[in-house]
Amino acid sequence: MADIVSLLLPFFGLILIGYIAAKATKQPAEALGWLNTFIIYAALPALFFKLVSRTPIEELTRVDFIVTDIAATYAVFILLFVIGRIVRGNSLADCTIQSFAGAYGNIGYMGPGLTLLALGEGAAVPVALIICFENALHFIVAPALMAAAGDDKRSTSQLVADIVRKVALHPFILSTAAGFSVAVLHIDQPPAFQRLVDYLAQAAAPCALFAMGVTLALRPLKRIPAEISYIVPAKLILHPIAVFIALTAVGGFEPVWIQAAVLLASLPTATNVFVIGQQYGVWQERASATILITTVFSVVTVSLWLIVIRSGLLPLQLFP
């Protein structure tokens, strides 16, 4: 237990420091702009490039792993969508944001720092692959469903062009692709360049967690959605269980890859869910509340998942 506390204290402590700093200084949301720019366009891309470029190419081509992980994630997404649409009678647009709230974890900001800290460098590749491909698919699914709901007024051609551009030019995608190219071509990186990448990568987790704390403080809890009763357990409990069952059912993956995927799936709702809701004017306050509530509860649930993983209680094979 002391080992788990030593892992989580600096992790959630940075979020708390960011939260307190935002409350104490009372700076506007715009003040966070350049820090977010640094995180998204420099620090995290450097981390992903570092992880991928220094990995043997055979580990980077595990299509079976990423397909299985995404299938489990979208199984949760579809389940929540059906509940929202059929059981609660919500609109297509509302169901989209609700489903993302239960299946889109904060893997970009929280994932690399926690997973690498808990599982070591062996988790680097699955972390990079999941973050890259899940984000890319989310960037496609969200506008496509919003267009189907009638909340996206762009023409079909313009929508497709914008989606392709957003996916292809996103810093996470570009940095991962660059790292993949370096690994495939066995390009020797100059020591000075490697040091620059290392410096930026080291800043990724602290800056991202601090910024997340600030973001939570700037979005006070105004409205608790009724859907929170099933979104929270879906995100923090069902999602990691679904990922674990899917990966062990397919089999053939290193234990650390399964553990990394489960840990990423256990993370709270991504702040991007609020951004998507804000972009389309749908479920904004409730998305903000969901992010805050899942983050608070994740202090307990992520701790429990770490205990299960690090104590060896997570079976490596469910199916003979």
Side-chain angles (χ1 to χ4, degrees):
M1 190 63 193
D3 188 29
I4 301 300
V5 171
S6 68
L7 282 172
L8 292 178
L9 185 59
F11 185 80
F12 284 105
L14 280 165
I15 297 176
L16 180 61
I17 290 171
Y19 185 92
I20 294 172
K23 290 293 187 181
T25 60
K26 300 186 185 302
Q27 296 189 57
E30 291 75 17
L32 193 60
W34 282 112
L35 179 59
N36 277 328
T37 299
F38 171 74
I39 295 166
I40 294 172
Y41 288 90
L44 283 173
L47 177 61
F48 298 146
F49 175 82
K50 173 184 175 181
L51 298 180
V52 174
S53 66
R54 302 175 191 180
T55 299
I57 185 59
E58 59 271 12
E59 294 186 21
L60 297 175
T61 53
R62 294 300 304 268
V63 177
D64 53 345
F65 172 79
I66 196 61
V67 168
T68 304
D69 175 83
I70 288 177
T73 294
Y74 273 87
V76 176
F77 181 96
I78 292 169
L79 174 63
L80 292 175
F81 195 95
V82 169
I83 292 174
R85 188 68 170 160
I86 297 178
V87 178
R88 297 193 54 82
N90 293 323
S91 69
L92 182 60
D94 278 357
C95 290
T96 299
I97 305 301
Q98 292 168 20
S99 301
F100 274 117
Y104 190 176
N106 210 329
I107 52 178
Y109 274 28
M110 298 177 70
L114 177 62
T115 310
L116 296 179
L117 188 64
L119 303 177
E121 288 295 320
V125 179
V127 168
L129 292 176
I130 289 173
I131 292 174
C132 179
F133 284 97
E134 278 201 11
N135 274 314
L137 190 57
H138 295 332
F139 296 155
I140 295 171
V141 172
L145 286 176
M146 285 303 183
D151 290 297
D152 197 315
K153 307 306 180 185
R154 290 172 289 183
S155 66
T156 302
S157 59
Q158 183 63 49
L159 177 64
V160 171
D162 288 346
I163 290 174
V164 170
R165 182 166 55 250
K166 185 174 183 179
V167 172
L169 299 180
H170 194 280
F172 295 177
I173 309 298
L174 289 174
S175 59
T176 302
F180 185 85
S181 299
V182 169
V184 170
L185 300 174
H186 303 287
I187 298 174
D188 291 327
Q189 303 172 47
F193 176 74
Q194 288 192 35
R195 282 195 292 271
L196 173 62
V197 171
D198 288 341
Y199 289 154
L200 289 171
Q202 289 165 10
C207 290
L209 295 172
F210 179 87
M212 184 180 171
V214 173
T215 302
L216 292 174
L218 296 176
R219 294 178 188 154
L221 190 61
K222 294 180 179 178
R223 180 181 181 184
I224 300 179
E227 295 84 0
I228 205 74
S229 61
Y230 58 85
I231 289 177
V232 171
K235 181 69 212 69
L236 301 179
I237 300 174
L238 178 61
H239 187 191
I241 289 176
V243 167
F244 170 71
I245 291 175
L247 290 173
T248 51
V250 172
F253 306 116
E254 291 292 326
V256 71
W257 283 50
I258 297 175
Q259 293 166 352
V262 169
L263 200 50
L264 287 180
S266 73
L267 295 177
T269 303
T271 52
N272 273 346
V273 174
F274 172 79
V275 174
I276 296 170
Q278 189 177 49
Q279 180 182 352
Y280 294 100
V282 176
W283 222 66
Q284 298 173 68
E285 288 186 1
R286 288 172 287 180
S288 180
T290 303
I291 293 165
L292 178 58
I293 293 170
T294 54
T295 301
V296 171
F297 276 100
S298 72
V299 177
V300 175
T301 56
V302 170
S303 300
L304 293 175
W305 279 111
L306 274 173
I307 291 172
V308 169
I309 290 171
R310 291 179 66 87
S311 63
L313 295 175
L314 191 71
L316 300 180
Q317 186 177 2
L318 282 183
F319 306 94

